[in-house]
Amino acid sequence: MKSGMMYTAGIASIGLSFATWWASKNKENAGLDRADRWGIFVGEWAPTFFAMGVALRIEETHRDLSQGGEREMLDGTYAEGRMPSHARV
């Protein structure tokens, strides 16, 4: 499982939140309150997916550094006066 997959799931859950709200509002005769609850329920998944993405990104970065990438980063990046970044920033 990669961090990008979790970020994608977070973005998808935002769209799914709107879709469930819209479907509940237009297809059920339960009223706007129920539609709001469905939208909020699914919308609460997004922060969890994003947090898991951050945790996985930290793990991926840690794994890259422990496999020998730290020497390359220390030789090239720190010598140029910049901090290392896996985000290529």
Side-chain angles (χ1 to χ4, degrees):
M1 180 121 339
K2 299 282 185 180
S3 60
M5 295 169 68
M6 287 294 121
Y7 295 139
T8 302
I11 291 170
S13 72
I14 293 170
L16 185 62
S17 173
F18 176 75
T20 56
W21 172 82
W22 185 83
S24 179
K25 180 176 167 275
N26 292 325
K27 304 291 182 187
E28 294 181 333
N29 293 327
L32 187 60
D33 290 341
R34 182 177 172 119
D36 288 347
R37 284 188 211 107
W38 270 113
I40 290 170
F41 171 69
V42 176
E44 289 177 347
W45 300 350
T48 303
F49 286 131
F50 288 132
M52 290 171 61
V54 170
L56 286 170
R57 175 62 55 103
I58 291 169
E59 181 61 31
E60 291 164 0
T61 303
H62 178 71
R63 190 174 347 144
D64 290 345
L65 289 175
S66 67
Q67 291 177 352
E70 63 190 37
R71 188 72 251 155
E72 296 170 6
M73 292 177 73
L74 289 175
D75 290 342
T77 308
Y78 282 134
E80 296 170 6
R82 295 180 309 179
M83 294 295 293
S85 170
H86 285 283
R88 310 277 187 245
V89 185

